[in-house]
């Protein structure tokens, strides 16, 4: 299996990432999730700053990808996560899975995102018209993780 992990400031091209995933001959399915900076309900978000722990973050993402491979037969996993200051609607994260079958690709993609949201060392600070604040972990993210354990 091929695993690609990148933590970067630069944006990424989903089409290029798709091309990297579909080149695995034994794969009959490619699933890609791309997460965006979403506007708050009151339209007050100016930007979001994402910080990480270099080295440890990449190691954590690799471990999550390897755990997914142990659960499902995957041909390739690509995880890209951006850091730095991002504006609303900017791409934050992409998880791409290539697998022989769609069920494994969908499940592995969701599994990786659930673990990434809960276990990868990233911190988010939202910059709003009302001020700046660190984003707390959500109960719904922890509930999503619990179904895999």
């Amino acid at each position: 299996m091929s695993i690609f992990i990148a933590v970067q400031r630069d944006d990424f091209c989903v089409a290029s990432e798709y091309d990297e995933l579909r080149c695995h001959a034994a794969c009959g399915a490619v699933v890609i999730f791309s997460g965006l900076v979403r506007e708050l309900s009151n339209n007050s978000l100016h930007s979001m700053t994402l910080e990480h722990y270099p080295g440890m973050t990449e190691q954590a993402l690799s471990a999550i990808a390897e755990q997914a491979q142990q659960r499902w037969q995957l041909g390739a996993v690509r995880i890209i996560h951006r850091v730095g200051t991002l504006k609303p609607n900017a791409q934050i994260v992409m998880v791409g899975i290539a697998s022989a079958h769609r069920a494994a690709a969908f499940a592995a993609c969701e599994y990786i995102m659930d673990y990434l949201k809960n276990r990868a060392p990233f911190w988010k600070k939202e910059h709003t018209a009302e001020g700046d604040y660190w984003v707390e972990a959500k109960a719904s993210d922890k509930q999503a993780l619990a179904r895999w354990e």
Side-chain angles (χ1 to χ4, degrees), residues 3 12 15 21 25 32 46 49 54-55 69 78 82 84 89 99 111-112 114 122 124 130 132 135 137 141 144:
I3 296 176
F12 52 87
L21 288 163
I32 293 178
H46 297 299
T49 300
Q69 171 58 25
R78 294 183 75 79
R82 295 180 66 198
N89 208 40
S99 180
Y111 172 93
I112 288 171
D114 288 343
F122 289 103
K124 298 178 190 176
E130 295 79 32
D132 300 345
V135 176
D141 290 334

Side-chain angles (χ1 to χ4, degrees), residues 1-39:
M1 179 186 76
S2 165
I3 296 176
F4 174 83
I5 305 293
V7 178
Q8 62 193 44
R9 290 189 175 275
D10 296 333
D11 201 2
F12 52 87
C13 175
V14 173
S16 296
E17 298 304 322
Y18 174 80
D19 286 342
E20 290 293 327
L21 288 163
R22 67 185 286 259
C23 71
H24 295 270
C27 294
V30 172
V31 169
I32 293 178
F33 169 81
S34 178
L36 308 173
V37 177
R38 75 172 162 257
E39 181 58 79

Side-chain angles (χ1 to χ4, degrees), residues 59-136:
Q59 189 174 21
L61 295 175
S62 292
I64 293 166
E66 289 167 8
Q67 291 164 6
Q69 171 58 25
Q70 291 172 4
R71 286 182 172 242
W72 300 278
Q73 290 186 341
L74 307 177
V77 174
R78 294 183 75 79
I79 303 173
I80 302 172
H81 204 296
R82 295 180 66 198
V83 293
T85 301
L86 303 172
K87 298 287 185 190
N89 208 40
Q91 297 183 123
I92 299 175
V93 62
M94 190 216 75
V95 173
I97 307 291
S99 180
H101 304 286
R102 67 177 177 195
F106 276 114
C109 191
E110 196 167 10
Y111 172 93
I112 288 171
M113 275 307 304
D114 288 343
Y115 270 82
L116 185 155
K117 294 276 289 180
N118 284 280
R119 302 274 168 90
F122 289 103
W123 298 273
K124 298 178 190 176
K125 185 180 230 181
E126 292 183 345
H127 309 282
T128 72
E130 295 79 32
D132 300 345
Y133 60 91
W134 292 102
V135 176
E136 300 279 332

